[in-house]
Amino acid sequence: MKKDTIKIRWHGRGGQGAITAAKIVANAAFVSGYSGVVMTPTFGTERRGAPVLTSLKISKNKIYDLSPIEEPDMIVVLDHLLLEEAGVTNGLKPGGTIILNTPKSPDDYHFNEMKVATADVTSIAVKAGLMQGIVNSGIIGAFAKASGLINLEILTKEIEQEFKDKRPKENAEAARLAYSITNIGGM
Amino acid sequence: MHIIESGNVAAATGVKLSRAEVIAAYPITPQTPLTEKLSELVDSGEMKAEYIPVESEHSALAVCIAASSSGSRAFTATSANGLLYMNEQIHWAAGARLPIVMCVVNRGIGAPWTVWNDHQDSISQRDTGWIQLYQCDHQQIIDTVIQAFLIAETVSIPVMVCYDGYLLSHTYMPFEIPGQSEIDKFLPKFKPAYFLDPKNPANLNTVTLPDVRPDVRGDLAPGYMEIRHNLHMDMRRTISVVEEVDRKYQKVTGRGGTPLVEKYECDDADFIAVCLGSLSYQLRDVVDMMRKEGIKAGVFGIRLYRPFPDQAIANALSRAKGVVVFEKALSYGNQGALFADIKSALYNSGNKPFVHNYILGLGGREIKTQDLFNSFMASCKDDGKIGDEPQWIGLKM
């Protein structure tokens, strides 16, 4: 895989909207000048509640390699309990970033040579006016803060576009609030 | 306008812009969301077409055959065992010279059941008399679906637009949607020379005797063999029609230029990889890795597989020392179908490079870039050990 490709793997549970979150970030990345964007949902038989993952590659150049991400630069986890199930951090390189929806703080996690960013997206989303359990808009705020890759304004605009029939303002607000409370730990 | 969407949405958008008039499809697995998207477009009124849900893939193509015979622009889509269930009608559509367009979202064939990608489904249909075009990304999917209608209607031969299941069908990437007015200029309304018309009753494709004989007007009419010879000659002529249609499309949209084969770093290459579908794009990264190691490697993807552009392929390989054919399909008990075709195209050309065959990715087995690199390198450094037998990449037992 080309070195100029940024590889982000999204982990969630079926029904949590990890694919939608990755799609929003894909659109925002494209608008921000990343002409190479490839988003690949899990290939298989998804069902509600089961662990699912989505790969997102972004690059300033067209991406030709559609093979699955083996060594992600970043991992976004929509449910911190997924960390207890196998495989979530597989392949993450030293210096990589783990972005977690969790009530805990970065100090509670001990990943060797990884940057950990945490935000309690589940409760922040309720504060923003969303139903309990809607986390796929809020997690984008945590992603924006921890990655620094894409401007929050562009991301919230894409969130409003994606959720135009489902509380667009509240979803954008969830991302803004999550951005403001995201804690980034040291290595 | 650019959007980021799945390959299925790219295909459906192409069908909409082409103003297909009749869509018939069977919605159950192994079907893809392509036909769901079309049913939404028809239901919402964004697309003016008759959408006919049917009880099987055989019926889906039968409906398209009827619609096309009566002068409508017809479209269907399927995959894997669904395509095989159509088989009898697939031959019929080609023999009846109906310009139907069908997307084949490439998936492996059961048994055992699989829904993941390989090319065995469409490769098993290569001798049916349909034109087959293979795609590498979403832009090619939407552009080729639109071009396929013009190709089909120009030569009166149906077209399969093939693209990789999951790798393209369910993956999201950016692509540009051409404007409706541009496409209306490119693709005029379908005007068949003959069609079923109650005002002018006729029998089509009745029993045809082995020999020629006078028809009802007393004119000498072709027998079965002449009709089949015509199909073959028109298939050969289709190679240049595909090029003409591509030039016309390029004038309208600015995109195109590689209708038969799509070459990458081939001009000075000693070793050239050949394959179908999105794999040729993954191999571009492998070629870059090999060039860093000082190996003059190149790759080309075959866009038009039937009719086979043998001359263009022989030309592209005219100075290669070695050719490596990567395939997601196999003629069981022999070798890869494309491998045999490539060797055949080279047989009468001046250059006789070694030709190796790698089988990979069957039933969606992951294709790792590093594995492609290792195999391609092994072929470049081979001293005759690899030979003519297909080599398998990614076997774990």
Side-chain angles (χ1 to χ4, degrees):
Chain A
M1 193 140 331
K2 294 278 162 102
K3 290 209 169 52
D4 58 4
T5 303
I6 301 159
K7 299 171 284 288
I8 309 161
R9 204 168 60 206
W10 300 71
H11 293 266
R13 295 190 183 277
Q16 263 189 322
I19 290 172
T20 305
K23 196 180 149 198
I24 290 165
V25 172
N27 276 305
F30 187 72
V31 171
S32 308
Y34 291 94
S35 57
V37 177
V38 173
M39 197 273 278
T40 310
T42 325
F43 300 155
T45 44
E46 297 84 355
R47 60 204 189 282
R48 205 158 266 274
V52 296
L53 63 88
T54 297
S55 296
L56 175 65
K57 300 178 195 174
I58 59 178
S59 170
K60 297 278 182 190
N61 303 304
K62 182 174 167 68
I63 294 169
Y64 288 103
D65 186 344
L66 302 178
S67 65
I69 293 175
E70 287 175 55
E71 294 187 328
D73 300 294
M74 258 172 250
I75 290 170
V76 185
V77 186
L78 276 69
D79 174 358
H80 65 108
L81 294 175
L82 284 167
L83 287 174
E84 290 161 24
E85 296 171 37
V88 169
T89 58
N90 278 2
L92 187 63
K93 288 183 276 194
T97 305
I98 304 171
I99 299 157
L100 292 171
N101 168 24
T102 174
K104 298 181 197 170
S105 85
D107 298 337
D108 297 328
Y109 294 96
H110 305 284
F111 296 105
N112 237 349
E113 297 180 69
M114 309 289 179
K115 189 163 100 178
V116 179
T118 64
D120 189 355
V121 175
T122 305
S123 44
I124 219 80
V126 174
K127 276 185 203 152
L130 294 171
M131 300 225 303
Q132 176 84 29
I134 305 290
V135 294
N136 60 342
S137 47
I139 196 76
I140 291 170
F143 161 81
K145 178 85 162 280
S147 69
L149 273 176
I150 302 162
N151 188 296
L152 182 66
E153 279 297 300
I154 295 172
L155 285 163
T156 50
K157 207 179 276 176
E158 291 297 334
I159 289 172
E160 287 185 18
Q161 178 61 28
E162 179 66 35
F163 292 102
K164 58 180 184 286
D165 305 320
K166 298 177 214 159
R167 300 176 184 253
K169 296 271 178 268
E170 290 84 348
N171 276 295
E173 184 60 13
R176 270 185 223 105
L177 287 176
Y179 184 93
S180 66
I181 59 132
T182 299
N183 282 318
I184 301 171
M187 288 275 181
Chain B
M1 184 188 73
H2 271 89
I3 65 164
I4 296 177
E5 256 300 344
S6 68
N8 288 322
V9 169
T13 311
V15 176
K16 179 188 155 209
L17 288 169
S18 303
R19 299 189 188 276
E21 293 159 307
V22 174
I23 298 155
Y26 182 64
I28 314 296
T29 301
Q31 187 58 276
T32 69
L34 159 57
T35 55
E36 276 172 48
K37 180 72 189 173
L38 284 169
S39 70
E40 284 168 23
L41 290 170
V42 172
D43 184 54
S44 69
E46 278 179 77
M47 188 178 173
K48 230 181 119 199
E50 189 79 28
Y51 188 97
I52 304 172
V54 287
E55 72 282 9
S56 77
E57 287 86 355
H58 186 278
S59 301
L61 194 52
V63 166
C64 288
I65 286 169
S68 190
S69 301
S70 54
S72 298
R73 186 171 282 163
F75 176 85
T76 186
T78 190
S79 297
N81 293 58
L83 180 70
L84 305 188
Y85 195 27
M86 285 180 178
N87 183 265
E88 181 239 358
Q89 297 287 298
I90 288 174
H91 284 273
W92 191 273
R97 304 297 298 268
L98 297 169
I100 297 162
V101 172
M102 167 160 67
C103 280
V104 178
V105 183
N106 289 119
R107 303 187 195 241
I109 293 170
W113 276 122
T114 171
V115 293
W116 290 273
N117 169 242
D118 67 38
H119 291 157
Q120 197 70 42
D121 53 358
S122 57
I123 290 297
S124 78
Q125 303 299 309
R126 65 170 190 172
D127 298 335
T128 54
W130 283 58
I131 296 160
Q132 285 194 350
L133 296 156
Y134 287 79
Q135 315 314 319
C136 298
D137 64 14
H138 293 15
Q139 194 65 59
Q140 288 184 357
I141 293 174
I142 182 170
D143 291 342
T144 305
V145 164
I146 295 164
Q147 292 180 50
F149 284 101
L150 188 55
I151 295 166
E153 290 164 17
T154 304
V155 294
S156 296
I157 297 173
V159 179
M160 290 183 200
V161 178
C162 308
Y163 59 91
D164 289 312
Y166 285 120
L167 291 173
L168 294 178
S169 67
H170 289 62
T171 292
Y172 289 65
M173 61 174 85
F175 57 92
E176 192 178 310
I177 301 177
Q180 184 69 63
S181 59
E182 291 170 319
I183 297 311
D184 287 343
K185 262 182 262 160
F186 170 79
L187 179 65
K189 196 171 161 42
F190 174 39
K191 283 196 191 120
Y194 299 95
F195 58 95
L196 283 176
D197 180 1
K199 285 185 222 115
N200 188 16
N203 284 326
L204 299 179
N205 301 303
T206 51
V207 173
T208 305
L209 297 176
D211 209 350
V212 295
R213 61 168 183 164
D215 66 11
V216 286
R217 289 179 294 273
D219 298 331
L220 196 62
Y224 183 90
M225 192 142 149
E226 285 74 23
I227 290 169
R228 288 286 159 167
H229 178 252
N230 287 344
L231 173 59
H232 176 69
M233 295 314 285
D234 287 341
M235 275 291 261
R236 295 307 293 171
R237 182 168 74 83
T238 296
I239 297 172
S240 60
V241 171
V242 169
E243 289 177 302
E244 281 161 33
V245 167
D246 177 71
R247 279 194 289 275
K248 192 177 170 196
Y249 194 76
Q250 219 175 344
K251 273 191 200 136
V252 175
T253 65
R255 284 188 303 278
T258 56
L260 309 183
V261 296
E262 197 177 19
K263 292 186 272 185
Y264 179 71
E265 298 278 15
C266 285
D267 288 349
D268 68 337
D270 294 327
F271 304 99
I272 296 180
V274 182
C275 64
L276 295 168
S278 64
L279 181 59
S280 81
Y281 276 9
Q282 189 176 356
L283 278 158
R284 287 183 178 205
D285 285 3
V286 175
V287 163
D288 290 346
M289 288 160 71
M290 290 173 70
R291 290 215 165 229
K292 272 187 195 138
E293 304 268 324
I295 308 273
K296 283 186 183 167
V299 58
F300 70 77
I302 293 173
R303 302 283 316 282
L304 177 66
Y305 179 58
R306 282 294 178 274
F308 197 59
D310 44 359
Q311 204 52 56
I313 287 167
N315 289 344
L317 299 174
S318 63
R319 62 167 304 283
K321 291 180 194 160
V323 178
V324 183
V325 183
F326 291 93
E327 277 187 87
K328 297 181 187 176
L330 181 60
S331 178
Y332 286 92
N334 190 28
Q335 47 196 202
L338 178 61
F339 178 53
D341 289 335
I342 294 288
K343 286 194 292 185
S344 166
L346 285 167
Y347 191 78
N348 287 322
S349 79
N351 186 31
K352 294 275 191 295
F354 73 75
V355 190
H356 290 163
N357 193 194
Y358 290 95
I359 306 297
L360 75 175
L362 300 188
R365 175 59 57 86
E366 188 179 325
I367 298 172
K368 293 185 171 165
T369 301
Q370 189 62 43
D371 289 346
L372 292 171
F373 174 83
N374 293 347
S375 303
F376 199 173
M377 283 297 263
S379 277
C380 295
K381 293 179 175 168
D382 180 51
D383 51 8
K385 281 200 198 87
I386 292 176
D388 209 41
E389 280 291 309
Q391 308 291 305
W392 291 62
I393 298 177
L395 278 183
K396 292 184 178 173
M397 288 172 76

